[in-house]
Amino acid sequence: MKTQLEQNANGKVATGFMLIKTIEKKIATNNSAYLNLVLSDKGGEISAKLWNYSPEKHGEYVTGDIIKVQGTIEEFKGSPQFRVERIRPKMGTDEVTMDDLVASAPFSSKDMLAEIRKTIEGFQNPNIAKLVSYLVEKAGDGFLINSAALRMHHAMRGGLIYHTYSMMKAAKALCNVYPFLNSDLVLGGIIIHDLGKCKEIQFADTGLAVEYTPKGNMTGHLVGGAIDIALAAKELNIDDECVTLLQHIVLSHHGIPEFGSPTPPMFPEAQVVSAIDKLDAELFEMLSAMSGVDVGSTTSKVWGLDRKLYRHSEDTEYRLNGED
Amino acid sequence: MKTQLEQNANGKVATGFMLIKTIEKKIATNNSAYLNLVLSDKGGEISAKLWNYSPEKHGEYVTGDIIKVQGTIEEFKGSPQFRVERIRPKMGTDEVTMDDLVASAPFSSKDMLAEIRKTIEGFQNPNIAKLVSYLVEKAGDGFLINSAALRMHHAMRGGLIYHTYSMMKAAKALCNVYPFLNSDLVLGGIIIHDLGKCKEIQFADTGLAVEYTPKGNMTGHLVGGAIDIALAAKELNIDDECVTLLQHIVLSHHGIPEFGSPTPPMFPEAQVVSAIDKLDAELFEMLSAMSGVDVGSTTSKVWGLDRKLYRHSEDTEYRLNGED
Amino acid sequence: MKTQLEQNANGKVATGFMLIKTIEKKIATNNSAYLNLVLSDKGGEISAKLWNYSPEKHGEYVTGDIIKVQGTIEEFKGSPQFRVERIRPKMGTDEVTMDDLVASAPFSSKDMLAEIRKTIEGFQNPNIAKLVSYLVEKAGDGFLINSAALRMHHAMRGGLIYHTYSMMKAAKALCNVYPFLNSDLVLGGIIIHDLGKCKEIQFADTGLAVEYTPKGNMTGHLVGGAIDIALAAKELNIDDECVTLLQHIVLSHHGIPEFGSPTPPMFPEAQVVSAIDKLDAELFEMLSAMSGVDVGSTTSKVWGLDRKLYRHSEDTEYRLNGED
Amino acid sequence: MKTQLEQNANGKVATGFMLIKTIEKKIATNNSAYLNLVLSDKGGEISAKLWNYSPEKHGEYVTGDIIKVQGTIEEFKGSPQFRVERIRPKMGTDEVTMDDLVASAPFSSKDMLAEIRKTIEGFQNPNIAKLVSYLVEKAGDGFLINSAALRMHHAMRGGLIYHTYSMMKAAKALCNVYPFLNSDLVLGGIIIHDLGKCKEIQFADTGLAVEYTPKGNMTGHLVGGAIDIALAAKELNIDDECVTLLQHIVLSHHGIPEFGSPTPPMFPEAQVVSAIDKLDAELFEMLSAMSGVDVGSTTSKVWGLDRKLYRHSEDTEYRLNGED
Amino acid sequence: MKTQLEQNANGKVATGFMLIKTIEKKIATNNSAYLNLVLSDKGGEISAKLWNYSPEKHGEYVTGDIIKVQGTIEEFKGSPQFRVERIRPKMGTDEVTMDDLVASAPFSSKDMLAEIRKTIEGFQNPNIAKLVSYLVEKAGDGFLINSAALRMHHAMRGGLIYHTYSMMKAAKALCNVYPFLNSDLVLGGIIIHDLGKCKEIQFADTGLAVEYTPKGNMTGHLVGGAIDIALAAKELNIDDECVTLLQHIVLSHHGIPEFGSPTPPMFPEAQVVSAIDKLDAELFEMLSAMSGVDVGSTTSKVWGLDRKLYRHSEDTEYRLNGED
Amino acid sequence: MKTQLEQNANGKVATGFMLIKTIEKKIATNNSAYLNLVLSDKGGEISAKLWNYSPEKHGEYVTGDIIKVQGTIEEFKGSPQFRVERIRPKMGTDEVTMDDLVASAPFSSKDMLAEIRKTIEGFQNPNIAKLVSYLVEKAGDGFLINSAALRMHHAMRGGLIYHTYSMMKAAKALCNVYPFLNSDLVLGGIIIHDLGKCKEIQFADTGLAVEYTPKGNMTGHLVGGAIDIALAAKELNIDDECVTLLQHIVLSHHGIPEFGSPTPPMFPEAQVVSAIDKLDAELFEMLSAMSGVDVGSTTSKVWGLDRKLYRHSEDTEYRLNGED
């Protein structure tokens, strides 16, 4: 996806507010200093260089700063690179906030959480309702702002709850088509299926994922999620088969061992959660990749899907779900 | 699944009408003749023996005959076996028909076809509508009565249209959740995705699959389906990208080469068709396997899913979709 | 391995005490009743038939009964089968106990437990000692009598503790060779690595494994073990990295996802536990398989090792470790 | 393979005619313009730079132009790079043509086509002859000039017919050794096995492959070839088993699903086509790779063969087949 | 393949000479003795029963005896079974020999060996000629009578030399098509490629393979063959690269590690030997499997090829190569 | 692992003696000459640049030279790069030797060899002792100085004997725990298991591996080792099963075909050698990788182990075994 800086460029010249994602001071072969940057806005990120950097002249910056930049968009090894010519920090009078610069879900996290809570209230099995509610509330703000992954699908502010919410809508639709499904298990399983990520991944204040935590590497969010269910059940004094069933849904939702599930889905509700999770993530990745090419064109191979995609002529406009 | 003969047995003694699926005359080690049979009714099939067979006394039979039998249910190597004690052919006064003895889809094939035709009429792209309609009408009665597979999912009279219809309902639900999908492609692709099976498999008059045809073995129903689209497009003079897109949906609906798809899905609509096909078949197989065990029990490993299943206590009653 | 009944047979005629493992009453084609049995003693098990069974004459029996039998050893489809000619229940005067009939580890479970407890007492990290001790004591008698597996390695009474004890000895030896290893983690990890099996598998009173429990199927003993560590840590108020490290050792001890580990070993101590577990099980299975062939002979393909084994001429006597 | 420019260089200085394969104008960090080029001749291709580019001084160029260059051969990241010092367009007096600059098969495409046509005329089965002849003539000039692949084997002008011709010669030899083979099927299958590539791949006027077409990506040349056989059969009113057999040979010629064949070869003639295709491609790739190293040396790992090759001392001279 | 006994049967009654492949005396449930036999002739083998066996009446027999039998062909579990009614040993006046009962190659082993020797004499590299000749002569009679495999391809008397000879003919044909190949290496490599089997497998006097030897299991015929080349080179004082090249051809002729080759082919001659070996074996197995079905029919899945085969209508008569 | 140059740097400025591993003279885009170097010392290696190189000013150098350098440590694409500012050759007065600059095993090769020889003397089977001793002595100095691998485990001067010695110590410990093992086979097998590497790999005078030899590529060190055992046995007139057993241990020590073993271990001693080889190499690689990160940190993915590692807080100090 292209940065808004590039989208709004005037020819090769571009101006705008951006977030500093990474910053390094380096020495060029001609012994002059320069800055190596990755800058991002809502549209995406771009690598940037500020040649002949002078702290006195340009100011000093750290990761997370909002800046205003002006410069030229060039190409380096087939990728765009921004040559910064002017730079200054965001000033009090600038009407720009973090929310304007970080890509985020198309719905309000609060609205999505409200619908999730309402769904839980509708559960017929009180133990499933209690367990799922406890885990959601315990996850706190992380559930509202974290992204769903380090890279790949739903890697945006609020991506975790957005992915959960989107799956919940798909699950409700399928529970109508397949009435033999126990919807408490399907919906409850979906709501908590990725909560283990809040501990598995370290998130920045922007909600974007930074890296796996040691604990995350050593147990994984599937097992971590199952453990949290066990601790919650103990806390809530629930000693019912639904504890094991929810643990199984969480453990099996990646489908096969090679993708991290110690066990494949053993009952229809677990199968449905796993199928919706896979489909929702794949559709998101497909849209992201295809938004970068024209109708009638083929993308390059998409990491994570391991294939090229084609944007066909039946596509009038690719929109993220929920957008008008 | 258990035969109705067994379900209605009085202790070990059972009486009922059945269909002869296979029949062989053999000589026992004591030199007496006996019949080796596989008998079936709506509930399933059972192997059977008629010891000391005498054509004069018992009558003569061939595959496909409807008979009335009485005898004892025994066990042979862990499976039930029916020892036939009395046998006679169906008589004119018996109120039993083929439909009473062959398992079939829970909806009328005509009703399902009507809804499929209505769906096609709603397509916005006239070429997709023309192509899909042409292929459905050309498939003729086979589409109405054939089963969907040799064994595994939807192996019942009308199974092919039932699987198609069930997928169509799921697809309509998901197209609402993911509005960026082109529903003509998703629904059109689903309606024709398995039509190649009509040529790939040889079906009995009952609609049950007998074996792959040589052509079926040599090209497969995915490639066969893509070829039929090409021939239809030529017939209908359609030279539009939608021809290739529908071919791609059919070719990619098994997802990966190891499962028979020469190419993975390259656009969201193809991905959705593939995901729904997999889920609908898996759910059907899960229900079939679980209907044979009690709540709280684990099945033996299910061929085709390559795992055991568990029938959990949240399941009050497993019903095929559509049944009340 | 051959039953002692066979080992002590006089030609084809054999007499001895045995345990009834499975029993079924059946009707032969000549309409007479017979018993289909699997009988076992310390040496192994054998399938058996009692033709023309009469409850009045032979008595009535259930699984788990100790009986005295006499009969002839025949062959059926390449395997030995015992034709029972005389049968009676164990009587008060018979000097035979369950222990005489069930294969068990070559060491006393109590002695092995004592050495395990002593090893825990020697730990330098008190939290590891507390956690491991808590889990061992909580496992109770199951740890003393259960077998280590449904089939394959250490499938004997006391097999679980025997496998654990044998690994512990190997680990102590290797910790001397590789002094950088933290022996508390290695030894603590080994002692608890398979405790999850006590819940994953249903055991008979004899300690032999019967089948996986639903919970065992749905979470697995690796994840189950990690959950128990979490609950124990909560109980003991331990909030230390060693909790995660022990969980990781348990989760990674099968090495790769295909063998059930959601994560591969990420530090040397976890690698060592995984390597010793694999080697100890393989050596046990090799010895079992090779004990059935003569020096200079090749076994048939061993299930679980997926290869044939060769008993070479450098082998004077294959003994289980610890046996003289 | 090395460009002739390099082969004929005088030390590091080289002069010659070349074809512009790609050209980009870029801005260096010192703000001066430069050209980023890939230049090719019969021997291969080389990346090139023209620093301080001035349209007035150097002229303006586009992809496909024939140019005369002079400059220095340097090394960049382990690969040769040509620093252009003088450049001018081909002039009327220059005795150089496209054929002099593009690598091509060692035989005349017309001669090879003549032999292919003669082979078809010799077929005993008139339907196979009609179908194969129709498909060859329909492919037209593409069959004469296209390369056989994007990269890897026979990636040269006329490579497609050269690969086909070479396989045909090998097939005739093997049909003599294995007289039970139906040579119409073997030879007919070979002649049409790769014709689908003409639609699957977009070719430049030079005959070199540029990229896969969307249709090529979405169906593949195996399925595309099978579809073309179906359309041809309809056109020619041939409704004979040979249609399915030829489709099967085309569909199965990659042997296994992982390499793109929806079905493995099911009769000896299909097996032979698949084996010869694989061998002819492998030998070509081996020769290409080995032509770059000296006798007694090992190549680096060859992409496409996934192994290193060794040029042994029994090799007096590696020649492409047909060359003297 | 069907026994000649069956081919020559008169209805279900059959009479003929056969070889006893295995023989066991058993006791039936009615306490009478019977013989369990596998009998073979040139056409194949059949399992057989002789009920109510009496040594006095029927005579006594061991494996390897030639007998004359008369009886009835029945079916047991889908396979033919021969119920022996009369049996007697071969008598002096019977004009039947071992050669009449054992399947063997269609050419004389002596003639094939003569052509192989003549081929070696034509080698240009004297060291290759010396090494190959030494190894052939050392293999002695085993090379003339042994079969090529335990089961699968060329499992017949003389099968080893027949497979070698057939490959040699194919190699000569391909060396003409690809003149860059060093034919000494290709032909020399083929002649010795399977000689290691003479040590790896234990053969019966009939030339049929019985089982792998311990040495065969522990090193394999590829490594065994490479070792024999090393020992021969030492014996003949040849210290030339051709020793390593021939070892490599032998080691790499199964192509990939999964099929037993520690290394893939690294030069064209090794590739060609591997390709011809695979093709010759596959064609043989295909013909064997297809000879059992009618034109227009599909075989069941062929072990070793892992697929079904189709006998098409272009096949007038499938003949083993060399047969008229 | 970090170079000592970096470890001893004063801020970014560093001075020290280093070994030239690779050296290339290049021309920069500004037409000035520069040197592209890889420099190494005991701690590891670093890439380096000397800009504006002048032979007159800086001197001339070749691979293998010991030099003294001064300069600045910068970063290039995420890896450290050394900008050389001053350079001179080692002079007579410099107290630095090759041993000071090349990483080597923590024990003296002579001491390790002495213990290996003593171990062989203790063998009970004289033939195993003779064979193993012959092969060790024949390997000569290569066994003392060669590294164990091209990259990955024990890639240091003396690495081969160090890996062998470390395995031998582990094996002695395990033979005590599993007394049924034949220790002559285990220890003899370990001592010779990697000797084939001396021929398979070309080593520099420093003992570091340079590349595989053609012979090494074409047969591999496992097969090469087995051949050397055969030749030794012939030389020593040993015709005993122990020859095949030792060959099998060498051939099977990589466990599975995918890792280069033509056969899996078929007896317990071969299994133990394979397990210890794998564990010793893995532990070495783990320590190497973890020595580069702080306690509490995760490494990046380790090539060869295909996973990240975690340095936990229970680790007070990671030491190579044998180091204090």
Side-chain angles (χ1 to χ4, degrees), chain C residues 119-150:
Chain C
T119 299
I120 299 172
E121 279 165 28
F123 287 176
Q124 301 199 350
N125 181 321
N127 282 337
I128 298 180
K130 260 192 272 177
L131 268 169
V132 172
S133 180
Y134 176 94
L135 289 161
V136 164
E137 302 310 329
K138 197 163 183 197
D141 280 357
F143 188 39
L144 293 179
I145 63 167
N146 289 345
S147 71
L150 266 178

Coordinates of all heavy atoms in Angstrom, one line a residue, chain C residues 119-150:
Chain C
T119 N 16.5 -36.5 44.0 CA 17.1 -35.6 43.0 C 16.5 -34.2 43.1 O 17.2 -33.2 43.0 CB 16.8 -36.2 41.6 OG1 17.4 -37.5 41.5 CG2 17.3 -35.3 40.5
I120 N 15.1 -34.1 43.3 CA 14.5 -32.8 43.4 C 15.0 -32.1 44.6 O 15.3 -30.9 44.6 CB 13.0 -33.0 43.6 CG1 12.4 -33.7 42.3 CG2 12.3 -31.6 43.8 CD1 10.9 -34.1 42.4
E121 N 15.3 -32.8 45.7 CA 15.8 -32.1 46.9 C 17.2 -31.5 46.6 O 17.5 -30.5 47.3 CB 16.0 -33.2 48.0 CG 14.7 -33.4 48.8 CD 14.8 -34.7 49.6 OE1 15.9 -35.0 50.1 OE2 13.7 -35.3 49.8
G122 N 17.9 -32.0 45.6 CA 19.2 -31.5 45.4 C 19.2 -30.3 44.4 O 20.3 -29.7 44.1
F123 N 18.0 -29.9 44.0 CA 18.0 -28.7 43.1 C 18.5 -27.4 43.8 O 18.2 -27.2 44.9 CB 16.5 -28.5 42.6 CG 16.1 -29.5 41.5 CD1 14.8 -29.4 41.1 CD2 16.9 -30.5 41.1 CE1 14.3 -30.3 40.1 CE2 16.4 -31.4 40.1 CZ 15.1 -31.3 39.7
Q124 N 19.1 -26.6 43.0 CA 19.6 -25.3 43.6 C 18.5 -24.2 43.5 O 18.5 -23.4 44.4 CB 20.8 -24.9 42.8 CG 22.0 -25.9 42.9 CD 23.3 -25.3 42.5 OE1 23.4 -24.2 42.1 NE2 24.4 -26.1 42.8
N125 N 17.7 -24.3 42.5 CA 16.6 -23.3 42.3 C 15.4 -23.7 43.1 O 14.7 -24.7 42.7 CB 16.3 -23.1 40.9 CG 15.2 -22.0 40.6 OD1 14.3 -22.0 41.4 ND2 15.4 -21.3 39.6
P126 N 15.1 -23.0 44.2 CA 14.0 -23.5 45.1 C 12.6 -23.5 44.4 O 11.8 -24.4 44.6 CB 14.0 -22.6 46.2 CG 14.7 -21.3 45.7 CD 15.7 -21.8 44.7
N127 N 12.4 -22.6 43.4 CA 11.1 -22.5 42.7 C 10.9 -23.8 41.8 O 9.9 -24.3 41.7 CB 11.0 -21.3 41.9 CG 10.7 -20.1 42.8 OD1 10.1 -20.3 43.9 ND2 11.0 -18.9 42.3
I128 N 12.0 -24.1 41.1 CA 11.9 -25.3 40.3 C 11.6 -26.5 41.2 O 10.8 -27.4 40.9 CB 13.2 -25.5 39.5 CG1 13.4 -24.3 38.5 CG2 13.2 -26.8 38.7 CD1 14.7 -24.4 37.6
A129 N 12.3 -26.6 42.3 CA 12.1 -27.7 43.2 C 10.7 -27.8 43.7 O 10.0 -28.8 43.7 CB 13.1 -27.6 44.4
K130 N 10.2 -26.6 44.1 CA 8.8 -26.6 44.6 C 7.8 -27.0 43.5 O 6.9 -27.8 43.8 CB 8.5 -25.1 45.1 CG 8.6 -25.0 46.6 CD 8.0 -23.6 47.0 CE 9.0 -22.6 47.0 NZ 8.5 -21.2 47.3
L131 N 7.9 -26.4 42.3 CA 7.0 -26.7 41.2 C 7.0 -28.2 40.9 O 6.0 -28.9 40.8 CB 7.4 -25.9 40.0 CG 6.7 -24.6 39.8 CD1 7.4 -23.8 38.7 CD2 5.2 -24.8 39.5
V132 N 8.2 -28.8 40.7 CA 8.4 -30.1 40.3 C 7.8 -31.1 41.3 O 7.1 -32.0 41.1 CB 9.8 -30.4 39.9 CG1 10.0 -31.9 39.6 CG2 10.3 -29.6 38.7
S133 N 8.2 -30.8 42.6 CA 7.8 -31.6 43.7 C 6.2 -31.6 43.8 O 5.6 -32.7 43.9 CB 8.4 -31.1 45.0 OG 8.0 -31.9 46.1
Y134 N 5.6 -30.4 43.7 CA 4.2 -30.3 43.7 C 3.5 -31.2 42.7 O 2.5 -31.9 42.9 CB 3.8 -28.8 43.5 CG 2.3 -28.5 43.5 CD1 1.6 -28.1 44.7 CD2 1.6 -28.6 42.3 CE1 0.3 -27.9 44.6 CE2 0.3 -28.3 42.3 CZ -0.4 -27.9 43.4 OH -1.7 -27.7 43.4
L135 N 4.0 -31.1 41.5 CA 3.4 -31.8 40.4 C 3.6 -33.3 40.5 O 2.6 -34.1 40.2 CB 4.0 -31.4 39.0 CG 3.6 -29.9 38.6 CD1 4.5 -29.4 37.6 CD2 2.1 -30.0 38.1
V136 N 4.7 -33.8 41.0 CA 4.9 -35.2 41.2 C 4.0 -35.7 42.3 O 3.3 -36.7 42.1 CB 6.4 -35.5 41.6 CG1 6.6 -36.9 42.2 CG2 7.3 -35.3 40.4
E137 N 3.9 -35.0 43.4 CA 3.1 -35.5 44.5 C 1.6 -35.5 44.1 O 0.8 -36.4 44.4 CB 3.3 -34.7 45.8 CG 4.8 -34.7 46.3 CD 5.4 -36.1 46.4 OE1 4.7 -37.0 46.6 OE2 6.6 -36.2 46.1
K138 N 1.2 -34.5 43.3 CA -0.2 -34.4 42.9 C -0.5 -35.5 41.9 O -1.7 -36.0 41.9 CB -0.4 -33.1 42.2 CG -1.9 -32.7 42.1 CD -2.1 -31.3 41.7 CE -3.6 -31.0 41.7 NZ -4.0 -29.8 41.0
A139 N 0.4 -36.0 41.2 CA 0.2 -37.1 40.2 C -0.2 -38.4 41.0 O -0.9 -39.3 40.5 CB 1.4 -37.3 39.3
G140 N 0.4 -38.5 42.2 CA 0.0 -39.6 43.1 C 0.4 -41.0 42.6 O 1.4 -41.1 41.9
D141 N -0.5 -41.9 42.9 CA -0.2 -43.3 42.5 C -0.1 -43.5 41.0 O 0.6 -44.5 40.5 CB -1.3 -44.2 43.1 CG -1.0 -44.5 44.5 OD1 0.0 -44.1 45.1 OD2 -1.9 -45.2 45.1
G142 N -0.8 -42.7 40.2 CA -0.8 -42.9 38.8 C 0.7 -42.8 38.3 O 1.0 -43.6 37.4
F143 N 1.5 -42.0 38.8 CA 2.9 -41.9 38.4 C 3.6 -43.2 38.7 O 4.5 -43.6 38.0 CB 3.5 -40.7 39.2 CG 4.9 -40.4 38.7 CD1 5.3 -40.4 37.3 CD2 5.9 -40.0 39.6 CE1 6.5 -40.0 36.9 CE2 7.2 -39.6 39.2 CZ 7.5 -39.7 37.8
L144 N 3.2 -43.9 39.7 CA 3.8 -45.2 40.1 C 3.5 -46.4 39.3 O 4.3 -47.3 39.1 CB 3.6 -45.5 41.6 CG 4.1 -44.5 42.6 CD1 3.8 -44.8 44.0 CD2 5.7 -44.4 42.5
I145 N 2.2 -46.4 38.9 CA 1.8 -47.6 38.2 C 1.5 -47.5 36.7 O 1.5 -48.5 36.0 CB 0.5 -48.2 38.9 CG1 -0.7 -47.3 38.9 CG2 0.8 -48.6 40.4 CD1 -2.0 -48.0 39.3
N146 N 1.2 -46.3 36.3 CA 0.8 -46.2 34.9 C 1.9 -46.6 33.9 O 3.1 -46.4 34.2 CB 0.4 -44.7 34.5 CG -0.9 -44.4 35.2 OD1 -1.7 -45.3 35.6 ND2 -1.2 -43.1 35.3
S147 N 1.5 -47.0 32.7 CA 2.4 -47.3 31.7 C 2.7 -46.0 31.0 O 2.1 -45.0 31.2 CB 1.9 -48.3 30.7 OG 0.8 -47.7 29.9
A148 N 3.7 -46.0 30.1 CA 4.2 -44.7 29.5 C 3.5 -44.4 28.2 O 3.5 -43.3 27.6 CB 5.7 -44.7 29.3
A149 N 2.7 -45.4 27.6 CA 2.2 -45.2 26.3 C 1.1 -46.3 26.1 O 1.0 -47.3 26.7 CB 3.2 -45.3 25.2
L150 N 0.2 -46.0 25.1 CA -0.8 -46.9 24.7 C -0.2 -48.1 24.1 O -0.6 -49.2 24.3 CB -1.7 -46.2 23.6 CG -3.0 -45.6 24.2 CD1 -3.8 -44.9 23.1 CD2 -3.9 -46.6 24.9

